Amino acid sequence: MIFKKNKLTVKIYTTTKEMSVNAALDVSTQIKELLSRSEHINMIFAAAPSQSEFLKELVSYKDIDWGRINAFHLDEYINLSDDAPQRFGNFLKKEIFGLLPFRNIYYLDGNKPADEECIRYTALLENYPPDIVCLGIGENGHIAFNDPHVADFNDTEMVKAVTLDEMCRQQQVNDKCFVRIEDVPKQALTLTIPALLSARYLYCIVPFKSKSQAVYNMINGDISEACPASILRTEDDVILYLDKDSASLLVQ
């Protein structure tokens, strides 16, 4: 099923596998189109279990000239050990960054002074403006770590330090990334909503039943920071990919 809500294109598939295959096909096609007219392009990736199937499919495209792509990621915990598997940089290294010959990989470092790291990563994003963002949404409707209480559709910053809300931190336990909520860092670095929307193309991959309420709010609620993902309805060239579980409240 395919439909539009405001400017947002929504594609619903029966299984997570089918959703991931089609999302990877669309992203790979857009990569090739951009590389046909640009020497280099810049991509931003989300790190979460919800992205694993999609990333696995995307990595399979060996006909893409990955050596012409600069890679970034959306967010990173503050003060989590460098070798922690929960670090988003480590997740992406395992799932995609370490598997493909990217031109450059720019990691967010949550163990450096936050102010300095925000300035450094902002400068990189200004030097390499994003062409494609691959993202998901959280159970609280966040995009990147822009939880409702810190989300700002008119943020003047590109990268900032934030305090994570309880629902966001509990999701990390629900996803089996951490054993207890007490283990989940309380702060993180995140690209802001304007930074994400500055990209020409956004592909939002959202499987799983646990996201069904957030998806419903995103599609049917007001466009407001109460559900940060709702802002995607205002943008051209944004596609939301759902499986039957995440779309279960939309399709009765």
Side-chain angles (χ1 to χ4, degrees), residues 12-21 207 242-245:
I12 301 175
Y13 298 94
T14 302
T15 65
T16 303
K17 172 74 171 179
E18 184 185 6
M19 178 206 70
S20 300
V21 167
L242 306 173
D243 64 9
K244 68 176 180 181
D245 290 330

Side-chain angles (χ1 to χ4, degrees), residues 12-251:
I12 301 175
Y13 298 94
T14 302
T15 65
T16 303
K17 172 74 171 179
E18 184 185 6
M19 178 206 70
S20 300
V21 167
N22 281 277
L25 175 61
D26 288 350
V27 172
S28 65
T29 299
Q30 189 59 66
I31 291 172
K32 293 171 189 175
E33 194 278 327
L34 288 170
L35 287 175
S36 73
R37 51 191 170 89
S38 300
E39 183 62 26
H40 305 114
I41 67 169
N42 309 305
M43 294 185 64
I44 304 174
F45 295 91
S50 63
Q51 305 299 301
S52 291
E53 280 290 330
F54 159 70
L55 293 174
K56 179 181 176 182
E57 296 298 331
L58 190 60
V59 165
S60 71
Y61 282 87
K62 305 304 182 185
D63 57 338
I64 293 173
D65 190 351
W66 296 100
R68 294 164 57 197
I69 300 174
N70 298 306
F72 295 80
H73 56 111
L74 290 177
D75 41 23
E76 186 58 271
Y77 293 113
I78 289 176
N79 293 333
L80 197 60
S81 64
D82 288 345
D83 60 352
Q86 297 94 338
R87 274 176 69 105
F88 294 144
N90 291 338
F91 174 92
L92 288 168
K93 184 175 182 179
K94 176 175 175 286
E95 299 282 336
I96 185 168
F97 289 171
L99 303 177
L100 298 170
F102 285 99
R103 180 171 183 253
N104 292 294
I105 299 169
Y106 295 107
Y107 289 99
L108 261 172
D109 190 342
N111 290 332
K112 291 184 176 177
D115 289 349
E116 295 177 13
E117 186 63 0
C118 290
I119 291 170
R120 183 187 74 88
Y121 218 66
T122 294
L124 287 168
L125 291 167
E126 290 174 342
N127 287 335
Y128 303 104
D131 298 292
I132 295 174
V133 177
C134 299
L135 71 160
I137 73 171
E139 292 177 16
N140 63 2
H142 72 208
I143 47 177
F145 267 145
N146 296 285
D147 290 339
H149 74 291
V150 295
D152 184 352
F153 292 165
N154 300 302
D155 215 312
T156 58
E157 301 175 83
M158 292 189 73
V159 186
K160 66 182 181 182
V162 295
T163 298
L164 305 178
D165 74 17
E166 200 77 356
M167 189 172 184
C168 173
R169 294 176 66 232
Q170 182 60 46
Q171 180 185 324
Q172 314 309 315
V173 179
N174 298 345
D175 286 347
K176 297 182 169 42
C177 297
F178 294 87
V179 175
R180 308 174 305 152
I181 194 169
E182 291 81 6
D183 300 327
V184 182
K186 294 182 178 181
Q187 294 185 306
L189 301 175
T190 186
L191 273 62
T192 63
I193 290 171
L196 302 181
L197 299 187
S198 70
R200 181 69 178 85
Y201 302 97
L202 289 90
Y203 298 89
C204 189
I205 295 97
V206 187
F208 307 153
K209 187 82 167 180
S210 60
K211 304 292 180 69
S212 60
Q213 186 63 58
V215 167
Y216 181 88
N217 295 341
M218 173 188 181
I219 298 298
N220 293 316
D222 293 335
I223 297 174
S224 80
E225 283 95 345
C227 180
S230 64
I231 193 65
L232 299 180
R233 286 162 42 196
T234 70
E235 297 293 309
D236 293 315
D237 298 312
V238 181
I239 304 176
L240 174 66
Y241 299 86
L242 306 173
D243 64 9
K244 68 176 180 181
D245 290 330
S246 60
S248 60
L249 297 182
L250 301 177
V251 182

